[in-house]
Amino acid sequence: MFEKIRILRKGVILMQAIAEIDTNFKVETKINKPDIKFYDIRKSPFQINGVFFEDGQYRRMPAPVAKSVSDGVFALHTNTAGGRVRFKTDSPYIAIYAKMPVICKMPHFALTGSAGFDLYCEDGGYVNTFVPPLEIVDGYESYIDVGNGGLREFTINFPLYSDVSQLYVGLSETATVCAPTPYMFEKPVVYYGSSITQGGCASRPGSAYESILTRRFSWDHINLGFSGNAKGETEIAEYISGLDMAAFVYDYDHNAPSVEHLQLTHEPMFKRIRRAHPDLPIIMMSRPKPKLNAEEERRLQIIRTTYRNALENGDRNVYLIEGAALMEMAGNEGTVDTCHPTDLGFASMASKLAEILKQILSAE
């Protein structure tokens, strides 16, 4: 019925595929839902947060800026950590159709976290995960039955360690779909750091500590975690200092190549961002680890020095959370490899950060 349409162009009758006119018909699906209709999330009423679409990819920062920082940051800036699409619907099911040109698979990282999408509902929290197939190559499709609960708000979290070039959301064609409620705090918290910041090794995207905090406080965020490539470079500090943000959280201890490198970059990064944002809440963190060796202690002292110098200079909007405190709830059970947090580790980090964020909110 919808395969072709007759159109008139300059007096000539042409036959044209409907998919070339209405993108809702471009998605070829194997999902057994006869009434399914797919929507391109880039179009209203869907709201995208944490990533933006440019040159055929969802990105976390502009490509030229990423390239100016390092080849590693450029390679990782299209990983969609922190990306979300939000909307309201009364559809009894929600489906996704994703094209993913880069899929990251690791032995210690659940595929549902590195390459999966998960689903949250405002009135019940976590719903389910759109589980990617083990043999995933360049994307996948999946659906979740959500029942007939009336018009509700949903959030789909993007993968933490893979790229996404297209994402369509499938709903019942008779369902209502409308814009989500704005975040209570729309100016984002910006997080900068290592693979831990990027979300490794959460079992699914919504378990990363930034996502936990966004749900708790209804506070938007941007994830600038770059696995193995967060080194406090001048270029990334300059980019972050130009962002309009509500708070800044940084932790790149793990990625600093040496104690000396951390010494040379940690306080300069703080000062650069402080000059651009005199009143911005800035939270420093050290590596989330309960017990430190001698070199790790030296690194912690560098971070403490940056913090103490700021206080001595009269800064009253700077905070420090040390790694042992971040892992207070999880202890040695909080990682998969003594480095990357499990969901328990991320929950512990979020719990400790929440204490500071509550202080910031109460001061506003």
Side-chain angles (χ1 to χ4, degrees), residues 94-96 110-121 125-133 140-146 154-160 202-207 215 343:
I94 296 173
I96 63 164
L111 191 61
T112 46
S114 68
F117 297 79
D118 63 11
L119 180 67
Y120 280 78
C121 180
Y126 172 64
V127 178
N128 209 333
T129 299
F130 299 99
V131 178
Y140 72 110
E141 61 180 3
S142 179
Y143 75 91
I144 296 171
D145 287 318
V146 297
F154 292 93
T155 298
I156 298 174
N157 293 298
F158 281 60
L160 297 168
S203 67
R204 48 187 178 77
S207 294
R215 292 193 299 274
D343 290 359

Side-chain angles (χ1 to χ4, degrees), residues 153-287:
E153 185 165 299
F154 292 93
T155 298
I156 298 174
N157 293 298
F158 281 60
L160 297 168
Y161 267 71
S162 295
D163 293 3
V164 179
S165 59
Q166 296 177 36
L167 181 61
Y168 293 88
V169 168
L171 307 171
S172 169
E173 63 182 355
T174 61
T176 298
V177 57
C178 54
T181 303
Y183 280 123
M184 189 176 299
F185 306 98
E186 291 198 82
K187 191 179 290 188
V189 179
V190 175
Y191 299 88
Y192 172 71
S194 66
S195 55
I196 296 170
T197 303
Q198 188 170 336
C201 294
S203 67
R204 48 187 178 77
S207 294
Y209 75 85
E210 302 94 337
S211 294
I212 295 171
L213 292 166
T214 283
R215 292 193 299 274
R216 176 167 180 176
F217 293 106
S218 187
W219 202 340
D220 193 13
H221 79 274
I222 296 173
N223 186 319
L224 295 179
F226 299 105
S227 186
N229 284 274
K231 300 177 182 178
E233 299 95 337
T234 299
E235 293 82 359
I236 193 69
E238 186 66 27
Y239 171 70
I240 292 171
S241 69
L243 296 176
D244 187 17
M245 49 189 163
F248 176 58
V249 181
Y250 79 125
D251 157 32
Y252 65 98
D253 177 7
H254 268 299
N255 287 174
S258 64
V259 173
E260 291 73 24
H261 181 95
L262 187 63
Q263 178 78 59
L264 290 171
T265 58
H266 194 269
E267 190 164 19
M269 185 174 199
F270 168 77
K271 288 182 175 179
R272 183 178 294 273
I273 293 170
R274 175 54 80 219
R275 284 195 300 269
H277 301 275
D279 301 316
L280 179 74
I282 298 178
I283 303 172
M284 305 172 188
M285 302 193 305
S286 63
R287 63 180 64 195

Side-chain angles (χ1 to χ4, degrees), residues 39-43 46-63 73-85 97-102 117 158-159 162-169:
Y39 297 83
D40 187 335
I41 67 164
R42 293 178 294 165
K43 298 180 179 180
F46 295 89
Q47 176 69 52
I48 300 172
N49 295 89
V51 293
F52 61 92
F53 190 85
E54 186 177 75
D55 296 332
Q57 290 276 132
Y58 287 96
R59 304 171 188 272
R60 293 183 283 155
M61 63 189 298
V73 168
F74 181 70
L76 292 164
H77 87 284
T78 49
N79 284 182
T80 54
R84 285 146 282 143
V85 58
Y97 177 92
K99 297 297 290 182
M100 303 167 64
V102 174
F117 297 79
F158 281 60
S162 295
D163 293 3
V164 179
S165 59
Q166 296 177 36
L167 181 61
Y168 293 88
V169 168

